[in-house]
Amino acid sequence: MSKSKVISTDDILATLCHSVTEVLSSASANEISYSAMVQKITRTCMRPDIGCFVLFDGGFTGLVVTNFTAQAAMEIYGDYMRNMGMPEEEIAHSHLSDDVSNVMGELMNQIVGDFTSKVREQLHTSITQNQPKMMAINKQVQISVDTTMDRPQARRVTFTTSKQNIFYLELAMDKTEFIKLHDFDIIEAVDPDDIIENEAKHKAEKQKAADNAKASDADDDFMAELGL
């Protein structure tokens, strides 16, 4: 009998870390990495300068907290805005700006969406979450999941930006294991943005081919009029 594959809490944490690095690296056009060493903690907290928390429910229950230093938040925010083509004069210069909190909250929402999609594909279960909200804080705030956990586990992971600024992700969830009873194919989710981009590219190539053919026909007609 073949040995069943077990996916643990730390495997789920690794999936979440991949979502963080993929989304933020793509958004900022700079590399975001995380430490291979994970810290066991006893509680999750929101810490200065910018924090955010998201509650999960469904296939498993958990809490995700992200804590950014002002420098890390401003680096990611600024790189994202420039990557989007925003003029320098329209980019906020303080982490206390509402625009910074709104943009970082939207990026966190994208991270959560990517993570829930991966959970659905890889674990064949579904989770829902509340809307992430970033906020600037100047004091430590303890956050706990409003539900009973039989065997709660908490982890902290350190992330590093391309300019060596640090931010942290904390995950608290019940100790759980997903056991694969039989093999199955993981179907990757289709990104709507990729579909739109490919369709636009296809139309542009088709239009270019039509324009070239039209130009070629015009040249042939002109040569025919000259008797050549």
Side-chain angles (χ1 to χ4, degrees):
M1 180 180 295
S2 61
K3 185 178 180 181
S4 300
K5 181 179 179 181
V6 177
I7 298 175
S8 67
T9 303
D10 290 331
D11 294 320
I12 294 174
L13 173 61
T15 298
L16 177 59
C17 290
H18 290 157
S19 291
V20 173
T21 55
E22 288 172 8
V23 171
L24 293 185
S25 294
S26 175
S28 65
N30 282 312
E31 183 180 359
I32 305 292
S33 60
Y34 65 93
S35 172
M37 300 299 294
V38 178
Q39 183 180 1
K40 287 186 177 182
I41 56 178
T42 57
R43 61 178 183 172
T44 54
C45 295
M46 289 180 62
R47 296 178 171 83
D49 296 300
I50 294 183
C52 175
F53 70 92
V54 182
L55 287 170
F56 292 109
D57 198 11
F60 55 86
T61 300
L63 168 70
V64 175
V65 177
T66 51
N67 292 306
F68 292 85
T69 61
Q71 295 80 5
M74 291 305 297
E75 179 187 346
I76 295 171
Y77 160 80
D79 288 344
Y80 172 68
M81 299 298 280
R82 295 183 190 94
N83 194 31
M84 294 293 289
M86 189 67 64
E88 193 67 33
E89 61 270 16
E90 295 184 21
I91 298 177
H93 297 287
S94 170
H95 74 280
L96 299 176
S97 169
D98 289 341
D99 191 42
V100 175
S101 295
N102 292 338
V103 168
M104 295 301 291
E106 174 56 32
L107 291 176
M108 189 62 190
N109 194 41
Q110 294 180 28
I111 291 169
V112 171
D114 186 79
F115 173 63
T116 56
S117 177
K118 282 182 168 64
V119 167
R120 184 168 57 250
E121 297 159 13
Q122 299 174 8
L123 302 181
H124 283 202
T125 190
S126 179
I127 56 175
T128 58
Q129 75 286 329
N130 68 317
Q131 180 71 22
K133 175 62 178 176
M134 285 279 179
M135 60 189 76
I137 56 177
N138 55 17
K139 293 183 179 180
Q140 181 172 298
V141 180
Q142 184 174 348
I143 303 292
S144 61
V145 181
D146 187 20
T147 187
T148 301
M149 286 190 179
D150 294 330
R151 294 177 297 169
Q153 292 183 315
R155 303 284 189 268
R156 180 187 294 136
V157 183
T158 303
F159 288 77
T160 308
T161 67
S162 60
K163 294 182 180 178
Q164 303 304 304
N165 288 313
I166 303 296
F167 65 95
Y168 302 92
L169 179 142
E170 297 180 7
L171 170 67
M173 63 178 291
D174 207 356
K175 183 177 181 180
T176 186
E177 291 182 345
F178 286 86
I179 303 171
K180 183 190 287 188
L181 298 179
H182 59 82
D183 291 332
F184 56 85
D185 294 329
I186 296 178
I187 302 176
E188 294 185 2
V190 179
D191 190 340
D193 292 336
D194 290 341
I195 295 177
I196 295 173
E197 183 180 350
N198 291 334
E199 182 65 20
K201 185 178 180 181
H202 176 70
K203 287 183 178 179
E205 291 175 349
K206 189 175 181 179
Q207 183 62 42
K208 183 177 180 180
D211 292 342
N212 290 338
K214 187 176 181 180
S216 178
D217 291 342
D219 290 341
D220 290 342
D221 291 343
F222 178 69
M223 296 298 286
E225 290 177 1
L226 297 177
L228 299 176

